[in-house]
Amino acid sequence: MSASSIPGRIRRLNKNQKLSAAGISTVAAAALSLSLVPGSAQAESESQAISGAPVVFASAAGAPQAKTIQSSLIEQHSTAEQLVKAADAAKAEKAAAVKAKAEAASKVKAQAEAEKAAAERGTQAASRSEARTPVFANNLHGWISESLAIMKAKGIPGSYDGLHRNIMRESSGNPNAVNGWDINAINGVPSIGLLQVIKPTFDAYHVSGTPHSQYDPVANITAAANYAADKYGSIDNVNSAY
């Protein structure tokens, strides 16, 4: 049996067969090489074109979007500035309102204190005035002294001695004395009081600020002194019935 007919054995090639196989392999390899080179170059060119394309497209398509983002950022910045300004304005307005309220309260307080001080000064002045106002005794000396003070204020002349002398002659110092027997009494207008003044004379020469009564000692003395000043120049010049 020959080697080629034994199963499982590889048949050996002769020299010519080996050369033929080698030639075929060489041709096939060359063909494959020629077919692969152009394809590889084209693929590389296409790869470069494809890799460059997105840059162009991204640049063209992203420009409006970038501008939109920039505008949005500017708008947000402007809005933030406006909010800050509004907050500052509100803060300043609030501070101004607080200041105005404080000033108003201060003015009210100052006015109240001024009014209180004025009232206190008025009270003190009134107290001092009352302290300076003499208190006259309810007797002949006091009546004459008070009448002299009123006469001085009204410009009516007269002295303590002139008043006292005429009072003692006319009524002995009795403010309720009434003459019921002279001509005046007969005529229905009796002389009354410390200086024995009739009603018509008292009414004509009554001095304001004194009671309108002939029996009031101060009013009687002052009216009589006013009458004597008009008729005789002063009560000091009267030494008898007048």
Side-chain angles (χ1 to χ4, degrees), residues 40-133:
S40 176
Q42 182 179 359
E44 183 178 357
S45 176
E46 290 178 354
S47 175
Q48 292 177 354
I50 291 172
S51 63
V55 176
V56 177
F57 292 153
S59 177
Q65 185 177 3
K67 290 182 178 180
T68 302
I69 294 173
Q70 184 179 9
S71 299
S72 178
L73 291 174
I74 293 173
E75 183 178 355
Q76 291 176 8
H77 181 69
S78 177
T79 302
E81 286 184 346
Q82 291 177 358
L83 290 175
V84 171
K85 289 181 180 179
D88 291 342
K91 185 177 180 181
E93 183 177 357
K94 183 178 180 180
V98 171
K99 182 179 179 181
K101 185 176 180 180
E103 289 178 350
S106 179
K107 288 181 180 180
V108 171
K109 183 179 179 181
Q111 183 177 0
E113 290 178 351
E115 291 177 353
K116 182 179 179 181
E120 290 177 352
R121 287 195 298 271
T123 301
Q124 293 172 358
S127 299
R128 289 193 296 270
S129 177
E130 290 176 359
R132 289 194 297 268
T133 301

Side-chain angles (χ1 to χ4, degrees), residues 102-190:
E103 289 178 350
S106 179
K107 288 181 180 180
V108 171
K109 183 179 179 181
Q111 183 177 0
E113 290 178 351
E115 291 177 353
K116 182 179 179 181
E120 290 177 352
R121 287 195 298 271
T123 301
Q124 293 172 358
S127 299
R128 289 193 296 270
S129 177
E130 290 176 359
R132 289 194 297 268
T133 301
V135 178
F136 300 102
N138 189 26
N139 54 32
L140 182 59
H141 173 73
W143 299 332
I144 293 174
S145 298
E146 186 173 356
S147 294
L148 284 171
I150 296 171
M151 290 164 60
K152 181 178 181 180
K154 300 293 184 178
I156 300 171
S159 66
Y160 185 97
D161 180 68
L163 292 174
H164 186 269
R165 184 180 71 249
N166 283 284
I167 288 171
M168 296 307 294
R169 186 188 68 251
E170 294 292 333
S171 65
S172 299
N174 179 11
N176 296 315
V178 178
N179 185 330
W181 52 267
D182 65 3
I183 188 64
N184 292 318
I186 293 172
N187 293 331
V189 284

